[in-house]
Amino acid sequence: MHGVSMISGALDDIDREILAALTADARVPLVAIAARVHLSRNAVKQRMERMERDGVIAGYTVVPGAAAARGVTALVMVYRSDRMRDDRVIATLRGIPEVVRCDVLSGEYDLLVTLHAATMDRIGQIWEQVAAIPGVANTVTAVSLTRAIDRS
């Protein structure tokens, strides 16, 4: 038998490497950790879940920056399944008060939605709502860190 038996709570070198990567950046993609420790993404996920169950990882924390006090602006690029004829997406976006702007784009993504909300949690809720709109095929979200130029 060529396996490693892990006693609950015992960490091996790979677990410690995963923990170090998450401690440095809790948002590091699983695939980056997997490449670092030479395991599959799924194997890393299973190890993280075990460390969570065992209490080695108690949670993941967001450290709010100064911009959080003033609210959060996020840009969401939306790709619709039927780019030219699907108005359900825009109609739904009109009903979300934090949507301050929506531009129709050329290129890969066809909508650029600007959100302004009080908290990152609210941005996350809106993103989930947008991603669930029938007709939304994909989204890419970027949070504004600081506004360098504002001519509005």
Side-chain angles (χ1 to χ4, degrees):
M1 192 108 197
H2 187 68
V4 175
S5 175
M6 292 289 299
I7 299 168
S8 182
L11 300 179
D12 64 12
D13 289 341
I14 293 174
D15 289 336
R16 283 189 280 279
E17 188 74 19
I18 292 169
L19 198 54
L22 290 169
T23 301
D25 178 4
R27 293 180 46 136
V28 64
L30 280 177
V31 351
I33 297 173
R36 180 173 167 172
V37 299
H38 307 292
L39 289 177
S40 71
R41 179 187 176 282
N42 192 46
V44 169
K45 185 173 178 4
Q46 289 174 355
R47 283 173 174 263
M48 287 172 57
E49 288 169 351
R50 179 185 39 78
M51 287 190 281
E52 289 168 5
R53 277 192 314 273
D54 292 348
V56 175
I57 297 174
Y60 304 86
T61 303
V62 171
V63 179
R70 297 186 306 273
V72 181
T73 299
L75 304 171
V76 182
M77 281 72 71
V78 177
Y79 182 82
R80 294 180 291 181
S81 303
D82 185 353
R83 303 182 76 177
M84 304 313 288
R85 292 176 292 210
D86 192 346
D87 291 330
R88 295 174 296 178
V89 176
I90 293 173
T92 304
L93 292 171
R94 280 192 181 102
I96 301 171
E98 292 88 350
V99 173
V100 296
R101 183 173 173 162
C102 178
D103 294 89
V104 177
L105 304 175
S106 62
E108 182 179 354
Y109 291 91
D110 61 321
L111 298 178
L112 174 62
V113 181
T114 304
L115 307 175
H116 188 75
T119 65
M120 277 300 298
D121 283 345
R122 182 62 185 140
I123 293 288
Q125 292 168 354
I126 296 166
W127 173 83
E128 287 178 8
Q129 187 177 353
V130 170
I133 297 171
V136 170
N138 194 15
T139 64
V140 173
T141 303
V143 175
S144 173
L145 300 175
T146 186
R147 183 163 297 161
I149 298 171
D150 187 353
R151 293 190 176 126
S152 59

